[in-house]
Amino acid sequence: MDAIVRIGSGAGFAGDRKDAAVPVVDMLAACAGPRFLVYETLAERTLALSRLARRHNPEGGYSPALEGLLAGVLVRCLDAGIRIVGNFGAANPLAGARRIAAMARAAGRTPRIAVVDGADISGRLTPEAFAARESGGRLLAGAPVPVSADVYIGARPIAEALDRGADIVVTGRIADPALVLGPLIHAHGWAEDDWDKLAAGTLAGHLLECGSQVSGGYFADPGFKAVPGLDEVGYPVAEIAADGSFVVTKPEGTGGRIDRLTVIEQMLYEIHDPAAYLTPDVVLDLTCVRVAEAGPHRVRVTGARGHRRPDTLKATVCVEAGVLAEAEISYAGPGAAARARLAADVVRARLARRVPGLALRIDAIGVSSLFNDTAGATLDAAFGGSAAEDVRLRFAAESTDGRMLELMLDEVEALYCAGPAGGAGVRRRLTPRLFSASCLVERDLVAPTVTLLETEAMEAAS
């Protein structure tokens, strides 16, 4: 086994920069030993939307960002022996793998592609059973039929896929740190119950999973936390030893910063209990972790401890939750704030008569938007002292009754001529809403599968 495994981040979410992985691949290609490029592209809502997309198109449902993220680096990775692991398979990992295979064939390459599937448990429990397992809420009360129900799978199936020779591993819903831990289990041969090493690999995955957040992206706050060259921020690379210690760094010549502060901030990001961060593979204890700078943009991380994995697995269950209606209109010039306030009052009064009971939110973007309340008190207070000459009003409401929402949209558009003066730039839209709930489910409900694409193709042909 090689002493050091290098793993680079290609994306921290589906909308990430499409060219972000290029410097990372250049750095990995110049190194020896096992090297991996990982892509984290899934969120709860993203996966639910992918499930809906697959309903309409059996060959859809994988991340629409897949092609853009891989186009600039796929061939380089294959030629340099850099193996790719990504959850861009979303609700249809097999179709995502086929699309990557087609991209590779078009470039004259024939990689071995593995598919990790089995996260979908929507058909394994009744709506009532999901509701009974909901954790920390009652969104599933009344037992609505799930749009999606996906378990966070652990790292072992990824390791198995790599053990079987895969150049590319395409997964669906998987625990984010598992994208890094899987390659480490494969490359270092870590045992299933070597809790401290699994914890260290999980920590490395947690630091890399959000891409450039650890190298200054989410850290940047002018006047408080300066980050140079943010327009070309470098995405992180971890160098992990067999004992679990690792260094976080980034490609030379890229912007951003990696130091104790950026690493510690990302280490605590989305951590509920630093002594017990629950993952499918291990319970990570951060309380003894040591973070030390080892050179420019190089931070050494040691001391992660692990405890036996949880008995249950987390599943995200998404259900339909009506429709969100949004409409916007602008007022500009002298008296803009007063005219915008009058427009808000007009729409509020008319809807109170025409659609009683509709909860309406009104924001004055740039004046009072992020911290507004649906009753309008904050908005009224903001307008009271506002001399703004450019106000964009946003009206929003949600309901399962489309007719009510169309009336709200119509009222905003009617402001064009019904007044007040000078309204312009109306935009209106309806967006289906999804609510997500967390459930804890028994491990025996989940049966992850690992399939090599060429094997799947031969079986289909026979």
Side-chain angles (χ1 to χ4, degrees), residues 430-454:
L430 295 170
T431 306
R433 294 271 282 172
L434 296 169
F435 285 167
S436 65
S438 294
C439 297
L440 296 178
V441 302
E442 300 85 342
R443 284 181 177 268
D444 60 9
L445 289 173
V446 186
T449 61
V450 178
T451 307
L452 287 174
L453 192 61
E454 59 190 40

Side-chain angles (χ1 to χ4, degrees), residues 7-28 36-40 69 207-218 229-238 247-258 297:
I7 303 178
S9 169
F13 76 117
D16 218 332
R17 293 175 179 168
K18 302 303 183 286
D19 61 348
V22 174
V24 174
V25 171
D26 289 344
M27 178 179 175
L28 294 176
F36 302 86
L37 180 67
V38 299
Y39 287 88
E40 201 293 285
L69 290 170
L207 291 174
L208 263 61
E209 70 189 43
C210 293
S212 61
Q213 284 191 192
V214 75
S215 49
Y218 213 60
L230 198 60
D231 60 314
E232 291 294 342
V233 63
Y235 281 52
V237 174
V247 170
V248 182
T249 184
K250 68 182 183 70
E252 290 187 15
T254 59
R257 60 184 269 193
I258 291 181
H297 305 298

